[in-house]
Amino acid sequence: MGRVVVKSLPDMKQARNRTLRPSLIREEVVVPPLTKAFAEGKTYHIKTFGCQANVRDEEIMSGYLEVAGFKRASSEEAADLVIINTCAVRENAEEKVYGEIGKFKAHSLKDPEFTLAVCGCMMQEEGAAKKIMSSYPYVNLVFGTHNMPNLLNLLEEHLARKKDLIDVISFPGDIVENLPSSRLDDCKAYVNITYGCDKFCTYCIVPYTRGRERSRAKEDILKECEELVKQGYKEITLLGQNVNSYGKDFKDGTSFATILEDVAKLGIPRLRFMTSHPWDFSDEMLEVIAKYPNIMKCIHLPVQSGNTEMLRLMGRRYSREDYLDLVRRIREKIPGCALTTDIIVGFPNETEEQFLDTLTLCEQVKYDAAFTFIYSPRKGTPAAAINDNVSDKDKHDRFDRLLKVVEAGVMSHSKEMVGKTYDVLADGVSKKDAGRLSGYTESGKLVNFPGPSYLKGHIVPVKIVEDHAFSMIGELQVDPIIVLLDDAAQKLSREEASIRFKEAMKAYREDESVAKIRDDMEDAQKRMMECASKSDDEGYQKAKNEYMSLADLYKKHPVVANLAAAESELEPLLKEVAEILE
Ligand code: 5AD
Ligand code: SF4
């Protein structure tokens, strides 16, 4: 590996370390010179595997690359720089990554300037980085989750030294603010509120790949959300491995319920959050969710298993009864609240009876959606050291049986929706037919319905007319033009120019000296009319002069001048709205 410079490699012991306090770094993006020159006229593509945290990382890496001068490529084949952003949660996610890297071999051999990077959770595992560099010699950069803010410097070093680099640090992690970002969607946005995880469920690699649990400052989260509201985003999802432990590290009484409430008050039309750990789901949270109509009544609450002994071995900190009691409390406080979950089957030594507990729990809860997984041993986690006596055949058989039970629950919810009307955030236009839209209901149900493409990004009422297992067919219940008008009015009221106009108008209406000039002008006008009707030329002229000097006074009055300026500022905005309506 002479061509490869190993700057740092991951270490499971350091990855477990929770002693170092995270530092808060306010990042100023500086583009180094070689990278700047290299980026000119070049395009990038990022291929992301795994969860929403990885998707958000992709947006941040895109932000760095775009600041440097790269443009988003129209396709992965067209890109000059490709980053493969990996997941380590299960083995099959890793296998997909190897397949993906292989796809770029020909391109890399043909074009010496083509740059291939592999990053993310899988790189945080011991052995992965070196394996990639030796098996795929055309990979130029390997970096870990904690090295992401250093992306441009790594690229610079690669260009300067003409060497391939591995830089994967293992440590509890920092909080980096002012991160650049190029969002992938213009109506739905993810906002990180916590990073890392301290739960150490025995099967899970995440606490090792993403470091200790650390919360972003409330002010930074609110600033980001406020900006999204201003930009007209319709949905924010607050992200964290365990959103409901938000703020515990501040030790000042801050909780997830407080940040959730503060974000809800900003007025984003839809607010979601994920993932919630049943262990620290508080009643305070339930109250906030119930209180705010813009907090979606849909909670992702991974159960993992329905058997208490399995849950103990998984390190989940709750029993079957605790979980079911939480479900009861949720449904009591928030009637109709949708619940979704994650379930693992075939954890080491799971017996048939223990598996049946998972089935009965699913039958009882009737989830709106469930992500089901066959247990996958992750090297370095406690569960990977347990001797397992469940055969592969049994694991697959249990998986299939679980899927059937989950599906029955999902279908029962779908059936109940037929004939009813739901608000749907239209976030997709069919590639085959621009007259067909898709979007999600509050409960997270996917609905396909006919409608004009300009409704993308709008929340519209849709009547469900047909149910399929995992998506529904609907009919739009509103005239699309009304949606546009409503949106234009809202857009107008949010703009700074219209806020300034409203303030100027208020000052104008309340100012007594302006009112007095207006009254005097009216008086002078009346006198002009009277004199004119009596053919009193002299009186008319006097009243007219008086009127003219009052009009001059009026025009120059600061409150009136301010209103006129605000009015002219509003003009381009009104034109813009008129264009939207056209
Ligand atoms: N094997 C199978 N599934 C896993 N998950 C996490 N680790 C593993 C593993 N080793 C699942 C859990 C988690 C979801 C994101 O992935 O259900 O909630
Ligand atoms: Fe993994 Fe458990 Fe943390 Fe979720 S809570 S990320 S399953 S360790």
Side-chain angles (χ1 to χ4, degrees), residues 31 147 168 183 209 219 225 253 288 292 301 308 320 322 349 364 372 453 460 487 495 500 551-552 567:
V31 184
N147 304 76
V168 187
R183 293 194 180 269
T209 62
E219 299 69 41
C225 293
V288 172
Y292 290 88
L301 197 65
T308 299
R320 173 189 175 93
D322 294 336
N349 304 317
Q364 206 171 322
T372 50
S453 58
V460 288
D487 199 59
E495 291 289 335
R500 262 199 300 278
D552 196 43
E567 232 166 3

Side-chain angles (χ1 to χ4, degrees), residues 197 199-201 203-207 241-242 277 304 316:
C197 180
K199 288 288 186 290
F200 286 98
C201 299
Y203 50 82
C204 186
I205 193 79
V206 171
Q241 303 299 336
N242 288 300
H277 192 297
Q304 313 297 3
R316 289 293 289 177

